[in-house]
Amino acid sequence: MTDALTSAQMRNIEQTAIDGGKVTGLELMDRAGKAVVKAIFETWPDLLNAPRRAGILAGPGNNGGDGFVIANRLRDYGWDVEVFHYGDIDKMPPDAKVNALAFANAGGVVSPIIPFEGRDMRFADPPTDVWIDAFFGIGLTRPLPEEVRAAFLSISYERNWQSNKLVAVDILSGIDADTGERLTEFPLKPDMTVTFHAPKIGHLEGEGADWCGQLIVKNIGL
Ligand SMILES: NC(=O)C1=CN([C@@H]2O[C@H](COP(=O)(O)OP(=O)(O)OC[C@H]3O[C@@H](n4cnc5c(N)ncnc54)[C@H](O)[C@@H]3O)[C@@H](O)[C@H]2O)[C@H](O)CC1
Ligand SMILES: [K+]
């Protein structure tokens, strides 16, 4: 496995490619989101044999932007997709906003993460086949907001009672990408983490090594 990167090193590689005119941030985000969907179908091919339901947990930044790319892609496969957004589409970074608006303008359902409060997720109907954690990626700088932690807890009830999958985009939200420190305590391990270009230190060090599930590294052409 190639050497693990810090978040700063990853950003530098991305920015150098963008500044050099090799690729745009929007293209990188599109490739990243599509790489996650590809990894899902490669890992669980039976999910391809019928339209399913996905819950996308999207955050305020570009990790959330990846989440909206994934949401659009799964809708293309005929899936029932609901995005639970911690953030405001209008305040998202430009690349993320393009994908979020594409989803919303195509009739995609964007809900606040509040619905989970008081909702007994053990008996979610219809059950969610795949949860996508796109709350925070390498930009996480402090413990998760309480409502994000609460949303994760709600989903853990459903996961205990129904066989759904949890896929972390780039890194499980709550894990510091540079140290592997779990900045927020919550009992949710992903089945799979899909990261881009190279593993990050937080995937291999500290608690992060135990909170990846299956770690898939996808090339996004950098
Ligand atoms: N750069 C690109 O074109 C690509 C990036 N990829 C994806 O982008 C994320 C990194 O995105 P970024 O916007 O830098 O950060 P996050 O989305 O991880 O975080 C959003 C935002 O949230 C703020 N924040 C940090 N910690 C907290 C907190 N505890 N509570 C509230 N808000 C918080 C902070 O301002 C962050 O900026 C990367 O992981 C990839 O998923 C694409 O994959 C490739 C193209
Ligand atoms: K994430």
Side-chain angles (χ1 to χ4, degrees):
M1 187 176 277
T2 50
D3 291 347
L5 300 177
T6 64
S7 52
Q9 287 171 323
M10 185 64 214
R11 288 187 199 285
N12 183 38
I13 291 168
E14 280 169 1
Q15 202 53 52
T16 303
I18 293 168
D19 294 348
K22 185 180 168 193
V23 70
T24 65
L26 194 59
E27 285 165 345
L28 283 176
M29 185 168 286
D30 194 58
R31 291 177 194 172
K34 287 176 177 169
V36 174
V37 173
K38 189 165 183 289
I40 289 169
F41 289 138
E42 287 168 345
T43 306
W44 303 298
D46 61 321
L47 288 175
L48 269 167
N49 63 24
R52 308 285 180 143
R53 173 170 162 77
I56 315 285
L57 304 169
N62 284 321
N63 195 246
D66 290 356
F68 277 104
V69 173
I70 295 162
N72 285 316
R73 191 76 171 149
L74 291 175
R75 268 171 62 93
D76 291 345
Y77 279 94
W79 283 38
D80 168 19
V81 180
E82 183 170 2
V83 174
F84 297 93
H85 192 203
Y86 174 74
D88 178 343
I89 289 180
D90 287 338
K91 295 187 184 130
M92 294 183 91
D95 297 343
K97 186 171 176 180
V98 165
N99 290 292
L101 289 174
F103 180 78
N105 295 339
V109 177
V110 183
S111 306
I113 56 177
I114 296 163
F116 292 121
E117 280 172 1
R119 198 163 114 178
D120 189 336
M121 295 295 286
R122 291 175 296 171
F123 310 109
D125 181 21
T128 304
D129 297 287
V130 178
W131 284 104
I132 302 287
D133 160 33
F135 272 137
F136 296 100
I138 61 173
L140 187 77
T141 55
R142 52 194 188 276
L144 294 176
E146 181 46 32
E147 57 266 51
V148 170
R149 197 186 66 83
F152 261 140
L153 277 178
S154 305
I155 291 158
S156 66
Y157 300 143
E158 182 184 352
R159 279 172 57 71
N160 294 339
W161 288 69
Q162 308 196 27
S163 61
N164 54 34
K165 310 285 185 207
L166 174 64
V167 177
V169 178
D170 211 4
I171 193 164
L172 179 69
S173 300
I175 304 287
D176 182 320
D178 291 338
T179 63
E181 183 190 355
R182 203 155 49 116
L183 296 173
T184 297
E185 300 285 321
F186 55 83
L188 214 58
K189 290 196 179 189
D191 297 283
M192 174 164 70
T193 294
V194 184
T195 191
F196 315 111
H197 183 68
K200 310 306 174 295
I201 292 174
H203 293 129
L204 309 177
E205 305 281 332
E207 294 179 277
D210 301 329
W211 289 76
C212 281
Q214 183 183 352
L215 179 63
I216 307 273
V217 181
K218 283 290 189 185
N219 181 335
I220 54 172
L222 284 171

